């Protein structure tokens, strides 16, 4: 009887362990897509997998990258003081971290000022209402200077708008180009001509066109944001367009023939046959477009002096204080980290919406 009970317990324990490992394997797909692949070997060790094998995997995905970062920081801290500029020595990691903390504290102080402003406004309006002067009540927005975090948010909104416009334009044109050789022959020369054009060349044209057409800007979409977004669109739509066309061209001909035999209308052929097969390459184009758009945005903001991280960098360069160089380096690191996170988000979406994610 005891042996039978032990056998049942062992089977239940084995089944629980298998379910746990199955859950870890499913989660590992998303952990890898989001850049947290180092969590997988840790979870497997907790579940009781071979520690030696998982330690080796953990070393590969976490320890070695951290070692590379540590060596970079060491080289940076030792070599930076030896380079003298017009603003002093190149700041090391400690000075850059100090300025990052200062920027965060500046943000908190500015938010406290905003809260105090609205509190005073509410008190003043309440007194006017109590005195029977409700017609004199006014609600004004706080107009303090944008903080570093505000600049980051502005840049993210701008690149998101430009990327959205680029996607709306590029995907349909790419599908049409992949389906029709005639259309592809007509559009291909334009792609080859405009694809290499620098954002610095587009910016003056975009500025004049937007200024002429967008004469009544709204608070939700300032003219400066629209100018930067359109510049991002013009420079970032090409990878999506080209990859979408390539994805459509790579659709299995047998699938297209089945659609013709079934006499599917064009809309259903695109949605049921073309898009599912072309999605992996479309998402590859979207990832490339978002990366290009993020790089283009910073240059456009610097040149046009539009609000965002680019303007922050230019203002600090023009400021020329002893802290400016460290603050610029904070911005450079921020740009790199945000670019990495945007790519991870797009990669996660690619794994979620393409067949390759479920193979």
């Amino acid at each position: 009887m005891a042996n039978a009970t032990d056998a049942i317990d062992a089977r239940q324990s084995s089944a629980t362990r298998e379910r746990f490992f199955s859950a870890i394997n499913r989660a590992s797909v998303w952990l890898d897509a989001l850049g947290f692949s180092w969590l997988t070997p840790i979870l497997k060790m907790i579940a009781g997998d071979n520690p030696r094998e998982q330690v080796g995997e953990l070393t590969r995905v976490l320890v070695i990258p951290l070692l590379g970062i540590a060596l970079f920081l060491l080289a940076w801290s030792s070599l930076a003081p030896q380079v003298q500029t017009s603003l002093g020595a190149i700041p090391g990691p400690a000075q850059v971290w100090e300025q990052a903390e200062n920027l965060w504290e500046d943000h908190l102080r500015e938010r406290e000022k905003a809260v105090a402003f609205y509190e005073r406004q509410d008190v003043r309006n309440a007194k006017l209402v109590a005195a029977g002067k409700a017609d004199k009540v006014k609600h004004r927005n706080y107009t303090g200077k944008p903080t570093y975090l505000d600049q980051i948010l502005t840049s993210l909104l701008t690149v998101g708008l430009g990327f959205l416009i680029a996607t709306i334009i590029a995907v349909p044109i790419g599908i049409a180009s992949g389906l029709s050789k005639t259309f592809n022959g007509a559009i291909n020369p334009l792609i080859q001509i405009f694809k290499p054009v620098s954002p610095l060349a587009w910016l003056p044209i975009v500025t004049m066109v937007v200024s002429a057409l967008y004469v009544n800007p709204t608070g939700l979409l300032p003219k400066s944001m629209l100018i930067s977004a359109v510049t991002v669109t013009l420079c970032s739509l090409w990878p999506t367009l080209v990859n979408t066309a390539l994805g459509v061209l790579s659709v299995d001909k047998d699938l297209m023939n089945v659609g013709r035999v079934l006499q599917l209308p064009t809309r259903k052929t695109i949605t049921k046959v073309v898009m599912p097969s072309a999605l992996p390459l479309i998402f590859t184009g979207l990832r490339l477009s978002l990366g290009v758009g993020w790089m283009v945005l910073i240059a456009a903001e610097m040149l046009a002096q539009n609000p965002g991280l680019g303007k922050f960098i230019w203002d600090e360069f023009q400021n020329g204080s002893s802290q400016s160089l460290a603050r610029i380096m904070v911005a450079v690191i921020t740009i790199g980290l945000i670019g990495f996170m945007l790519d991870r988000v797009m990669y996660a979406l690619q794994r979620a919406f393409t067949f390759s994610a479920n193979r």
Side-chain angles (χ1 to χ4, degrees):
M1 186 68 179
N3 291 336
T5 303
D6 291 341
I8 293 173
D9 291 341
R11 284 196 297 270
Q12 290 177 343
S13 177
S14 177
T16 301
R17 188 168 179 268
E18 287 179 3
R19 286 195 298 270
F20 192 32
F21 274 108
S22 178
I24 292 174
N25 289 330
R26 289 195 300 271
S28 66
V29 174
W30 298 105
L31 292 174
D32 178 59
L34 294 172
F36 297 104
S37 57
W38 50 271
L39 281 173
T40 302
I42 294 176
L43 292 174
K44 287 184 176 181
M45 280 193 290
I46 293 173
D49 201 0
N50 185 353
R52 179 176 297 179
E53 180 180 340
Q54 297 308 320
V55 166
E57 180 67 12
L58 186 63
T59 301
R60 184 183 68 83
V61 299
L62 181 63
V63 176
I64 292 178
L66 288 178
L67 182 61
I69 294 173
L71 291 174
F72 168 75
L73 293 175
L74 181 62
W76 177 11
S77 60
S78 60
L79 296 176
Q82 302 178 26
V83 181
Q84 295 294 326
T85 70
S86 58
L87 300 179
I90 296 290
Q95 291 82 7
V96 172
W97 179 257
E98 180 183 354
Q99 289 308 312
E101 292 179 334
N102 290 340
L103 289 169
W104 172 249
E105 291 170 0
D106 290 344
H107 172 76
L108 295 180
R109 284 193 293 268
E110 196 64 26
R111 293 285 76 81
E112 290 173 357
K113 291 180 182 179
V115 171
F117 170 82
Y118 287 117
E119 287 177 350
R120 290 194 301 269
Q121 180 173 259
D122 291 341
V123 171
R124 183 171 60 252
N125 290 337
K127 290 180 179 179
L128 289 172
V129 172
K133 301 178 180 178
D135 57 314
K136 295 185 178 181
V137 170
K138 294 181 180 180
H139 295 279
R140 296 186 176 91
N141 292 325
Y142 180 68
T143 56
K145 65 178 182 179
T147 66
Y148 184 63
L149 268 66
D150 295 332
Q151 305 274 40
I152 293 174
L153 180 60
T154 299
S155 290
L156 286 173
L157 291 174
T158 305
V159 78
L161 177 61
F163 176 70
L164 178 62
I165 298 172
T167 302
I168 292 172
I169 295 172
V171 172
I173 294 177
I175 291 173
S177 181
L179 290 175
S180 171
K181 291 183 179 180
T182 302
F183 186 82
N184 182 62
I187 201 73
N188 188 60
L190 299 177
I191 296 173
Q192 302 306 321
I193 291 171
F194 290 117
K195 185 171 64 173
V197 176
S198 166
L200 304 183
W202 281 119
L203 189 58
I205 300 173
V206 172
T207 302
M208 289 187 290
V209 171
V210 171
S211 299
L213 299 178
Y214 193 47
V215 293
N216 296 312
T218 64
L220 293 176
L221 184 59
K223 186 178 293 185
S224 58
M225 177 181 287
L226 184 59
I227 290 171
S228 297
V230 173
T231 305
V232 168
T233 296
L234 291 172
C235 296
S236 66
L237 62 86
W238 311 112
T240 298
L241 197 159
V242 172
N243 278 272
T244 300
L246 183 61
V248 173
L249 286 170
S250 65
V251 175
D252 194 333
K253 300 304 179 185
D254 291 337
L255 291 176
M256 298 298 292
N257 291 333
V258 169
R260 294 190 187 97
V261 169
L262 296 176
Q263 297 183 346
L264 294 177
T266 303
R267 181 178 61 83
K268 282 196 173 183
T269 300
I270 292 173
T271 57
K272 301 296 185 181
V273 178
V274 174
M275 288 295 291
S277 299
L279 268 180
L281 275 173
I282 292 175
F283 267 104
T284 299
L286 291 173
R287 289 175 64 191
L288 292 172
S289 289
L290 187 55
V292 170
W294 183 241
M295 289 189 293
V296 164
L297 175 66
I298 304 303
E301 289 174 344
M302 289 180 68
L303 185 64
Q305 287 294 280
N306 292 335
L309 281 172
K311 186 177 186 300
F312 172 85
I313 293 174
W314 186 255
D315 288 344
E316 289 297 334
F317 176 72
Q318 294 293 99
N319 183 26
S321 70
S322 58
Q323 301 175 344
S324 294
L325 197 53
R327 292 190 170 212
I328 290 173
M329 296 185 77
V330 172
V332 168
I333 295 172
T334 302
I335 291 167
L337 290 174
I338 292 175
F340 170 75
M341 288 187 289
L342 291 175
D343 182 73
R344 290 290 93 187
V345 169
M346 288 303 301
Y347 183 54
L349 291 174
Q350 180 177 354
R351 299 296 293 267
F353 291 105
T354 60
F355 290 119
S356 60
N358 303 315
R359 286 173 182 167

